[in-house]
Amino acid sequence: MRLLFAIDLQDYAGCTRTFVRHSARGIILRRGKVAMIHSTKQDYYKFPGGGIEEGESPIAAMIRETREEAGLVVKPETVREYGCVHRIQRSPSDPEEIFIQDNFYYLCEAEEEILPPQMEDYEEDAGFAPVFVDACHAIRVNRESAAKSRYRTMLMREARVLEMLIEEGIIA
């Protein structure tokens, strides 16, 4: 899978441990809008997806997480690699730990019917809501929210992936 870009904050000098947690995310377009998860409490957007479990393929994780977070049932035969964002930084939860993550993005289609999401407690606490949103709006919101968010790196990553999709003509 092609590397879209890397995020290396180079803020991990002195760390003694490494934590690796890769993720997979779905890019689903419908009627000129992109499927995203909107945090209504913190006002940002992220692609549906999440952590890859042990023994799970990135595609299987993306399909599972997209169903759980967004209620979208991915059509497996439509899945195509888009690219990977490599991230390395000091862990936000442990100052002794380096956090490393490859975020795998897949273009795909979903069934028309949207099922009820099956969110975890932290997702409900963040006010996660699946939406189809204009990509430029999501970019603008993420850039504005990044300055005051503890999720700055993620918000900037998602905005940059959206920009690349626009630049490449995948999103009109």
Side-chain angles (χ1 to χ4, degrees):
M1 182 176 288
R2 74 177 173 146
L3 177 66
L4 298 173
F5 56 93
I7 301 168
D8 185 347
L9 299 186
Q10 298 182 4
D11 62 349
Y12 40 82
C15 288
T16 58
R17 293 185 306 283
T18 301
F19 178 73
V20 178
R21 175 89 165 141
H22 300 310
S23 74
R25 307 194 175 281
I27 302 168
I28 300 169
L29 307 175
R30 190 171 284 170
R31 294 179 272 292
K33 299 193 183 236
V34 61
M36 304 286 290
I37 304 300
H38 181 219
S39 172
T40 59
K41 291 192 178 170
Q42 298 174 359
D43 197 23
Y44 66 79
Y45 293 91
K46 71 179 203 73
F47 287 95
I52 301 169
E53 302 295 333
E54 188 172 332
E56 188 176 41
S57 74
I59 292 173
M62 181 274 296
I63 291 171
R64 175 183 53 78
E65 287 279 355
T66 299
R67 165 60 189 93
E68 290 173 2
E69 286 188 352
L72 294 168
V73 178
V74 171
K75 298 176 184 178
E77 68 277 7
T78 69
V79 175
R80 302 181 326 272
E81 290 182 356
Y82 178 64
C84 176
V85 177
H86 179 72
R87 174 178 165 193
I88 180 169
Q89 69 182 85
R90 181 182 299 269
S91 169
S93 60
D94 183 345
E96 297 293 317
E97 195 169 70
I98 299 171
F99 178 68
I100 299 173
Q101 184 176 57
D102 285 334
N103 300 272
F104 302 103
Y105 289 84
Y106 295 92
L107 294 161
C108 53
E109 295 175 20
E111 301 290 343
E112 197 64 32
E113 180 183 9
I114 300 174
L115 304 174
Q118 300 168 331
M119 295 194 189
E120 296 182 35
D121 290 342
Y122 81 91
E123 294 168 325
E124 288 187 18
D125 292 345
F128 280 4
V131 296
F132 280 90
V133 64
D134 176 78
C136 292
H137 174 75
I139 292 166
R140 186 172 51 257
V141 167
N142 276 17
R143 292 207 177 281
E144 290 170 2
S145 296
K148 59 186 182 277
S149 175
R150 66 179 248 179
Y151 303 112
R152 181 183 192 290
T153 305
M154 179 191 66
L155 302 184
M156 299 305 288
R157 178 194 73 211
E158 301 294 61
R160 182 66 190 122
V161 170
L162 285 166
E163 289 170 341
M164 293 179 77
L165 289 162
I166 292 169
E167 290 165 7
E168 295 174 8
I170 296 169
I171 297 177

